[in-house]
Amino acid sequence: MTVTGPDVVTLRPEPDDIREAVRYAIKSGVPYTYNRMDKDAWRRVARIARGKVNESLIRRFAESLGIRAGTQDKSYRQHDAFDFTFQGKRGQVGADVKTFHVLTQFIEAPRSPFSFDSLLSGVDHSMAQWHLFFPMLVPQDYRKHKEVYVFAVSVEAKPDRSAKPVLAYPWAAFPDSAAERPLVDPDAIKAREAAGDGLRVTLEWPAGMPGAGNAVYERGGQARQKALPFADAAQLSDAGFASFLAIQLDDAAKDHLYRSGQAMTLTAQDGDQPAVTSQYDARRFREVFPRQDFALHLVGWIGRDEFERIARPLPDGAPCYFYPPRLDAQDSHAPGTKTANRYVLPGVLKPIATLTEV
């Protein structure tokens, strides 16, 4: 039995899924996540938040099938791969979830918005219609194989700033310059904690700042947060921070910075080291999770042995729907796939609802 359109399962997150994912992403994303894609801090945090939301959705779906997903309870400071294991017909099974992400706002012709018909079009690597080619990819140099591959596609709509945010503080800015690096360097954090010393941090904002804000930092080996008293003061000072992770704002505060052209100022003193002073204007604040229309489509699964038998090579740089070519000289994205992969087409996968048959 192979996948057809009705077999694809669409899942959408609950507000609590999003809140918990963003909390986790902020405290783990900048200091403790390897920057394998050489992305700036907010992009790393955004990627982690989407991954954590997807984990929650997949775990809940597995439980609806009677599968209890086994995951490892790790500190946010440790590498956090999604270890999805369950009890199959032949005993304990490890599943490797491969998710491809589609940003609707960047879809341009000849690509069309994601649809199940396009997903199951059957267009292969040898055909010219790259925009209808949906390869289910596994890197050729991948070394952490499990018994089963599960493939999914997450899709988020074009941002709608008029939509009500799920998060109390939808906007976040992170220490992301070379000068700010000591604030989030994991070795420096450990040294401060071992010595019992910490950062002294002062955060200033324009007088009369509306709305609400939040500071995220570490102290005593834990991530903590502190509300910023915009209505009562123009600054907040504290000491004993092991790190300073993020500033968060609600819509009113972010809009005020944008309209006024003003900035918040962060000053951090680490012992007798020179103070680090940074400006946080509106441009530094980004949303790390969409306000509406985030969906995860569970396409299907395939056993590793069968994948190894039928998968075809896809060369580094080959275009497909997920990794389009560069269509004109002004495109700034890197064209095509980034590494050499092997792939199968979605139509050969087994329906996700049959995962219990492994």
Side-chain angles (χ1 to χ4, degrees):
M1 183 178 182
T2 56
V3 166
T4 62
D7 297 318
V8 180
V9 173
T10 298
L11 307 171
R12 287 183 167 83
E14 298 292 334
D16 282 348
D17 296 329
I18 298 171
R19 295 183 189 108
E20 183 55 37
V22 171
R23 277 195 294 266
Y24 179 88
I26 286 175
K27 66 186 182 183
S28 71
V30 183
Y32 306 111
T33 300
Y34 174 57
N35 189 11
R36 65 184 176 86
M37 294 184 177
D38 195 29
K39 293 186 179 295
D40 51 24
W42 84 266
R43 293 182 192 275
R44 302 204 304 273
V45 171
R47 179 170 56 86
I48 293 166
R50 285 154 179 76
K52 297 302 285 187
V53 163
N54 290 343
E55 286 180 18
S56 297
L57 295 175
I58 292 168
R59 185 180 296 112
R60 196 151 57 235
F61 175 76
E63 290 172 354
S64 77
L65 297 179
I67 296 172
R68 185 168 181 81
T71 58
Q72 292 184 350
D73 185 16
K74 299 177 182 177
S75 164
Y76 68 88
R77 292 183 171 187
Q78 295 176 302
H79 175 66
D80 185 50
F82 182 30
D83 298 320
F84 178 30
T85 60
F86 61 93
Q87 195 68 23
K89 289 183 176 179
R90 297 190 298 273
Q92 185 100 337
V93 176
D96 202 344
V97 182
K98 302 292 187 187
T99 303
F100 308 99
H101 193 59
V102 177
L103 290 163
T104 302
Q105 70 188 97
F106 295 119
I107 291 177
E108 296 181 358
R111 291 172 83 201
S112 59
F114 177 82
S115 70
F116 296 162
D117 286 344
S118 295
L119 174 73
L120 299 171
S121 64
V123 171
D124 210 339
H125 174 227
S126 59
M127 303 178 185
Q129 295 172 300
W130 61 265
H131 56 284
L132 295 176
F133 175 41
F134 287 79
M136 303 288 100
L137 299 169
V138 175
Q140 287 192 11
D141 61 356
Y142 193 65
R143 291 182 173 84
K144 297 181 179 179
H145 296 282
K146 304 288 180 64
E147 290 89 344
V148 167
Y149 296 122
V150 173
F151 292 98
V153 179
S154 59
V155 180
E156 63 181 79
K158 184 177 180 179
D160 178 7
R161 303 303 184 207
S162 67
K164 182 179 179 180
V166 170
L167 302 169
Y169 308 106
W171 302 93
F174 308 94
D176 207 23
S177 67
E180 293 171 310
R181 180 61 193 169
L183 307 186
V184 292
D185 180 78
D187 292 334
I189 293 169
K190 290 178 183 178
R192 291 183 197 113
E193 291 177 342
D197 295 329
L199 299 167
R200 172 170 289 280
V201 173
T202 299
L203 192 59
E204 301 173 80
W205 51 86
M209 182 100 151
N214 194 47
V216 186
Y217 58 94
E218 289 174 292
R219 177 184 280 158
Q222 298 292 324
R224 304 173 186 271
Q225 57 185 18
K226 184 185 292 287
L228 302 176
F230 290 159
D232 302 322
Q235 71 170 40
L236 179 72
S237 293
D238 205 345
F241 290 12
S243 68
F244 189 86
L245 301 178
I247 304 170
Q248 297 175 286
L249 300 178
D250 69 1
D251 282 345
K254 161 65 165 57
D255 289 345
H256 179 75
L257 289 184
Y258 177 77
R259 290 194 304 268
S260 68
Q262 296 175 297
M264 303 177 71
T265 302
L266 171 69
T267 303
Q269 182 76 44
D270 187 4
D272 59 359
Q273 298 297 312
V276 174
T277 300
S278 303
Q279 299 296 306
Y280 284 74
D281 62 13
R283 292 172 298 179
R284 292 193 65 170
F285 288 88
R286 306 293 292 267
E287 290 194 271
V288 296
F289 202 86
R291 298 183 179 214
Q292 79 294 323
D293 266 356
F294 181 91
L296 178 68
H297 305 287
L298 297 181
V299 180
W301 66 276
I302 188 171
R304 177 187 171 188
D305 290 344
E306 185 176 3
F307 181 90
E308 296 285 349
R309 181 173 60 83
I310 68 174
R312 299 181 60 190
L314 186 65
D316 180 12
C320 64
Y321 182 88
F322 304 120
Y323 303 106
R326 185 176 287 139
L327 297 178
D328 64 58
Q330 295 187 2
D331 282 348
S332 59
H333 73 278
T337 52
K338 310 302 185 294
T339 58
N341 291 267
R342 290 194 298 164
Y343 75 95
V344 296
L345 293 178
V348 309
L349 303 177
K350 296 177 176 62
I352 195 67
T354 67
L355 194 56
T356 53
E357 298 175 5
V358 176

